[in-house]
Amino acid sequence: MRAKLERDFDRFKRELPRDFPAHVRETYGIDLTARYLGAVVPHPIGKGSGQLSLNTGQLEDDATAGLAFSVLKTVIAEDETGARAMAAWAIHETKMKVERRAGGTGTGTETGREGWTVTWKGRGWDRPFGDYLALVRAGRDLTRAGRLLVVPSVKYHLPRLTEPFREGEYRYATTQLADAWREPPLLVEKDFSPTLAGDALADALVCFNRLFDAARVVAYGGWDLSDRNLRVLDSYRPLPPSTAPYRPLTGTGNICSGRMILEYARRGCESVQLHTFFQLPLSEYAATHGSRVQRALHALVFHPRDGLIAVMLEREARGELERQGGELRFLDLRAHAHRAG
Ligand SMILES: Cc1cc2nc3c(=O)[nH]c(=O)nc-3n(C[C@H](O)[C@H](O)[C@H](O)COP(=O)(O)O)c2cc1C
């Protein structure tokens, strides 16, 4: 198995097999099937909401690369008059900077604590709502064609105790998305927030997708982010599925290896969403050809030491993951978390 993995890692540097989950199943007896919001996907790796899912070209590239799903950039909810309680989120900012960021003292398991972060001061979708609906329709077509599961993301206003709920915004924005999607169910990531990051009102919130550096006034990721998220997931400890309602979890934050995917999966995540790892300098990927998403998938799945195949085989060797009907299953990592917890 090890020798095969070394060989695959090497030959796939030029090109990943078109249907790499099928290859992984045939060659290693590993079933990568995962779930995102209850939908079955061929493997757990998707793209998180942000600047990499703003247009149809990016979605086409994701489908070609073999990504499991893409979450669209977050749009700001509005009512039929165009009023938006969260208008402060719709600012325009294009320049992103990929930087190294040291951090982390907690639960990280990899050697070396130098991580990556994307520094960027923008926020939500800053173009007309109608343009977003066009993107949703393009995503719907890719989803229907079975090429890529695409899911919109919406920021709705969360009122303080004394304020009313903005039902007009919820109803209008959600109905528009549902109409654009046409056939139910419409899957959606709901971003529910009373304020901007960095505002005093945000102090009491647990937010998963980025941390906030008050000194530099920027959001950031890297090891501090995964340490925090894994710690929160540890304390959440969902009950076994047989006794609790099904709560789908998807993980995000500093996922740059299969080993980190496993850390989220063990804590109950059925899929993961990345942003930063799709933006590294080309010299950081072992693959020599293909888009950044393809090069990232190559490393995440096939790296002989820290790829998903390697870490699942490692768990099997330690007696921590068993074959079912001859196969190791990605979704069983989660079942294992319940037993351990
Ligand atoms: C430039 C940038 C823009 C982002 N925009 C959004 C957004 O609009 N909505 C959202 O829910 N998350 C957004 N995110 C968060 C990412 O989807 C992701 O959860 C987060 O960056 C952690 O993953 P990572 O460590 O792989 O980058 C953004 C992240 C970055 C770096």
Side-chain angles (χ1 to χ4, degrees):
M1 287 278 191
R2 293 277 155 193
K4 268 193 226 169
L5 192 52
E6 299 267 0
R7 211 166 48 237
D8 275 353
F9 183 66
D10 216 44
R11 68 191 176 118
F12 296 158
K13 283 178 180 167
R14 294 185 63 82
E15 192 176 14
L16 272 184
R18 251 197 115 55
D19 186 354
F20 75 83
H23 173 83
V24 170
R25 194 167 196 161
E26 280 156 26
T27 312
Y28 304 94
I30 292 181
D31 177 2
L32 293 178
T33 302
R35 273 191 300 260
Y36 170 61
L37 292 180
V40 174
V41 282
H43 64 84
I45 305 163
K47 181 181 269 185
S49 174
Q51 303 322 98
L52 310 178
S53 47
L54 289 169
N55 58 55
T56 50
Q58 290 167 324
L59 297 180
E60 275 292 335
D61 289 348
D62 291 350
T64 306
L67 216 54
F69 63 95
S70 285
V71 185
L72 299 180
K73 176 69 191 170
T74 301
V75 72
I76 313 304
E78 62 183 51
D79 68 14
E80 57 278 346
T81 69
R84 298 178 295 193
M86 303 305 288
W89 279 88
I91 62 163
H92 182 73
E93 180 74 54
T94 52
K95 197 125 185 64
M96 290 185 277
K97 200 164 156 213
V98 180
E99 297 178 303
R100 292 190 181 269
R101 180 160 184 132
T105 50
T107 54
T109 53
E110 288 165 78
T111 51
R113 306 295 290 177
E114 185 78 34
W116 292 95
T117 187
V118 179
T119 302
W120 181 68
K121 293 196 171 186
R123 294 166 189 161
W125 179 264
D126 59 4
R127 282 175 277 146
F129 198 80
D131 291 4
Y132 195 79
L133 295 176
L135 184 61
V136 170
R137 285 191 289 271
R140 172 201 69 197
D141 292 345
L142 284 168
T143 305
R144 295 270 145 79
R147 295 185 57 211
L148 175 74
L149 173 62
V150 177
V151 174
S153 161
V154 198
K155 181 177 277 295
Y156 300 96
H157 176 257
L158 177 68
R160 302 164 78 175
L161 280 179
T162 51
E163 288 175 334
F165 285 92
R166 313 272 179 145
E167 287 184 30
E169 280 189 15
Y170 304 160
R171 190 175 298 114
Y172 180 77
T174 313
T175 305
Q176 291 288 306
L177 292 172
D179 287 351
W181 196 260
R182 282 211 297 257
E183 288 154 46
L186 167 75
L187 301 179
V188 83
E189 277 204 7
K190 181 160 61 67
D191 188 341
F192 216 22
S193 162
T195 186
L196 297 172
D199 186 285
L201 260 182
D203 288 352
L205 291 175
V206 178
C207 312
F208 271 77
N209 56 18
R210 302 252 276 164
L211 297 170
F212 193 75
D213 184 329
R216 290 183 64 198
V217 204
V218 288
Y220 71 96
W223 289 97
D224 290 344
L225 179 60
S226 49
D227 282 354
R228 193 277 312 265
N229 288 356
L230 296 176
R231 200 171 59 237
V232 172
L233 288 168
D234 274 338
S235 62
Y236 173 68
R237 282 191 199 290
L239 294 167
S242 56
T243 60
Y246 170 60
R247 287 197 192 87
L249 286 178
T250 178
T252 190
N254 191 38
I255 294 166
C256 300
S257 68
R259 200 168 286 283
M260 185 58 90
I261 295 176
L262 179 117
E263 291 302 322
Y264 279 94
R266 285 203 309 122
R267 290 163 174 85
C269 296
E270 297 179 330
S271 56
V272 290
Q273 318 182 358
L274 292 63
H275 198 291
T276 301
F277 195 57
F278 295 142
Q279 291 184 277
L280 301 191
L282 284 181
S283 57
E284 293 297 316
Y285 304 102
T288 51
H289 292 69
S291 65
R292 277 189 170 74
V293 170
Q294 275 165 327
R295 293 176 201 224
L297 285 173
H298 167 257
L300 293 166
V301 178
F302 290 99
H303 191 283
R305 192 190 60 230
D306 293 322
L308 197 47
I309 297 170
V311 295
M312 286 180 71
L313 292 174
E314 191 179 291
R315 283 188 91 74
E316 181 190 25
R318 284 206 227 119
E320 293 166 349
L321 185 65
E322 287 154 29
R323 288 186 184 264
Q324 307 289 333
E327 290 188 337
L328 293 177
R329 300 190 302 214
F330 172 78
L331 284 172
D332 283 347
L333 293 168
R334 175 172 178 265
H336 206 84
H338 294 301
R339 270 200 304 268

